[in-house]
Amino acid sequence: MGETVRAAVQVGPRQIEIREFPRPKIGPDDGLLRVEANGICGSDVEMYKGHMRMGSGKPLVPGHEPMGIIEEIGERAAARWGVRPGDRVALEVIVPCRNCHNCLIGRYQSCPNRTLGHGVTGIDVEPSLWGGLAEYLYLSPGAVLHRIDASLPAEVASMFNPLGAGVRWACHLGGIQLGDTVLVLGAGQRGLASVIAARAAGAGTVIVTGLEADRHKLALAREFGADHTIVVDGDEAEDTVERVREITSGAMADVVLELTPMAAKPITDALLAARHGGRVVLAGLKGDREVPVRTDLVINRALTLVGAFGVDARAYAEAIAIIESGRFPLEKMHTHSFGLDETALAMETLAGEVPGEAAIHVSVHPNS
């Protein structure tokens, strides 16, 4: 390994530059990860387009779904994380302080002292290599790591984040019980991951919505265990709420997951499609816009609304167990692999901007 590290740097909307940074000096409490693959998320795309603010607003190395091999690690860090050089690990986005009250009682996502995050911290914060779209990523003392089977294909192992979201949002926040009817609004990576999680939790009926352009994703949803799919636009568009009423004979959905990006109407659909006393999990970001919510629906239907902020350690661990089990053909979800120099193309491919390319899961492999 040389003295410099190549990384993709986002400097503005649709502006990615490949730059070189000094290799970080590793002490007893930190480490260095050789990035095998970094999954591209819809929020990466929105940040790339300029629809979402870039972390601190300063140039940064994107990529908050990195996994790879421990290249170098300090003695105390190795003991704290329980890893050694050569181990494959998946990395959480959040870098908590590990010392405050919230961290000590397990609510580390609410850590008031966290100033760092993978894929969101600017290059002005040394040593700059905070994102997964780089040959090597700096492992700061507070980073949260998860061991993952080294025999898995890198593109499958890199699904730990979207599958973790499916587990947390569907099972932990949605509270899916045996036999439940689950409605998933949105057929992206996390929608498909939610289907897998719902099936693993024992859901009785799983319904997924998507756009006309998402037919390939809806077909895959069925392979992963969805019972019904609904196309919500185009010439053959169906009304989501009416279709759920028909499928459930009026009983409606026990759990609804709203995962669509930027769209407001699915929020109302979610409230109308949930049964009396049902749960609605909101995870689809809307670009910080004010979105109308019919609060009378929430009151009169006795609904529970839950905001889904990211993924926690329990969900990552359970998602990795599902990946390692081989029970689901996850390789079918992966559609595109790119090198570091093709980072912008990777973003545009996932965004559906490349003619003829129907993307679902996209990853960048910085060392390939």
Side-chain angles (χ1 to χ4, degrees):
M1 177 181 170
E3 291 304 307
T4 60
V5 177
R6 296 174 74 244
V9 178
Q10 178 156 357
V11 296
R14 295 186 181 272
Q15 291 179 286
I16 299 280
E17 297 177 0
I18 303 300
R19 296 186 184 178
E20 292 191 354
F21 296 90
R23 173 179 175 168
K25 302 289 188 224
I26 302 306
D29 291 305
D30 49 14
L32 195 66
L33 181 77
R34 176 166 59 82
V35 181
E36 288 185 276
N38 185 97
I40 302 299
C41 170
S43 62
D44 290 317
V45 171
E46 297 304 328
M47 192 170 75
Y48 171 73
K49 291 177 178 179
H51 294 164
M52 275 177 57
R53 185 169 174 270
M54 287 170 41
S56 63
K58 298 178 180 178
L60 52 77
V61 178
H64 60 267
E65 301 182 9
M67 50 75 55
I69 305 298
I70 299 288
E71 178 79 15
E72 187 179 349
I73 192 166
E75 186 177 349
R76 287 196 293 261
R80 184 173 64 252
W81 287 323
V83 297
R84 58 187 179 182
D87 285 348
R88 178 188 258 182
V89 297
L91 201 56
E92 292 197 23
V93 182
I94 287 176
V95 181
C97 77
R98 293 177 175 258
N99 293 307
C100 71
H101 176 72
N102 280 338
C103 283
L104 292 176
I105 64 171
R107 290 206 306 249
Y108 68 97
Q109 287 191 309
S110 302
C111 173
N113 303 321
R114 59 185 178 89
T115 58
L116 304 171
H118 299 115
V120 294
T121 295
I123 59 173
D124 59 316
V125 180
E126 292 187 351
S128 302
L129 298 168
W130 297 102
L133 297 180
E135 292 172 327
Y136 292 85
L137 183 150
Y138 173 65
L139 298 173
S140 60
V144 184
L145 279 57
H146 297 271
R147 296 276 293 272
I148 189 165
D149 188 342
S151 68
L152 292 168
E155 58 272 16
V156 173
S158 70
M159 293 180 192
F160 71 93
N161 186 297
L163 193 54
V167 168
R168 178 162 167 76
W169 301 350
C171 302
H172 302 168
L173 299 181
I176 291 173
Q177 303 289 314
L178 284 173
D180 275 355
T181 294
V182 180
L183 171 63
V184 181
L185 299 167
Q189 298 173 39
R190 283 154 184 76
L192 294 171
S194 296
V195 172
I196 290 168
R199 273 285 161 249
T205 303
V206 179
I207 308 164
V208 184
T209 72
L211 304 174
E212 176 70 36
D214 294 331
R215 283 194 180 274
H216 61 297
K217 299 176 186 176
L218 294 173
L220 191 54
R222 285 184 176 270
E223 283 200 60
F224 287 153
D227 301 286
H228 304 275
T229 54
I230 303 170
V231 176
V232 298
D233 70 342
D235 295 338
E236 299 177 30
E238 295 181 289
D239 182 276
T240 298
V241 178
E242 289 309 311
R243 188 75 183 97
V244 171
R245 183 173 285 111
E246 182 182 308
I247 291 167
T248 62
S249 300
M252 309 310 283
D254 298 288
V255 179
V256 182
L257 309 178
E258 201 292 301
L259 314 182
T260 67
M262 310 305 285
K265 183 178 181 297
I267 299 287
T268 303
D269 286 345
L271 302 181
L272 288 168
R275 67 165 171 80
H276 192 274
R279 293 175 72 83
V280 177
V281 178
L282 303 178
L285 293 171
K286 309 303 181 187
D288 213 25
R289 291 180 297 133
E290 291 270 357
V291 176
V293 174
R294 291 170 59 182
T295 54
D296 283 4
L297 279 177
V298 179
I299 296 166
N300 291 329
R301 300 171 81 92
L303 300 177
T304 299
L305 300 189
V306 184
F309 174 73
V311 186
D312 63 3
R314 175 189 170 197
Y316 279 121
E318 292 176 14
I320 289 170
I322 289 173
I323 294 171
E324 292 177 344
S325 76
R327 285 174 55 198
F328 296 90
L330 292 170
E331 65 282 352
K332 293 185 177 182
M333 192 156 77
H334 181 78
T335 54
H336 296 79
S337 299
F338 294 97
L340 188 64
D341 294 326
E342 302 171 304
T343 292
L345 180 60
M347 301 281 187
E348 290 158 8
T349 300
L350 185 62
E353 297 176 356
V354 180
E357 299 296 331
I360 302 178
H361 181 264
V362 173
S363 55
V364 172
H365 301 246
N367 286 285
S368 62

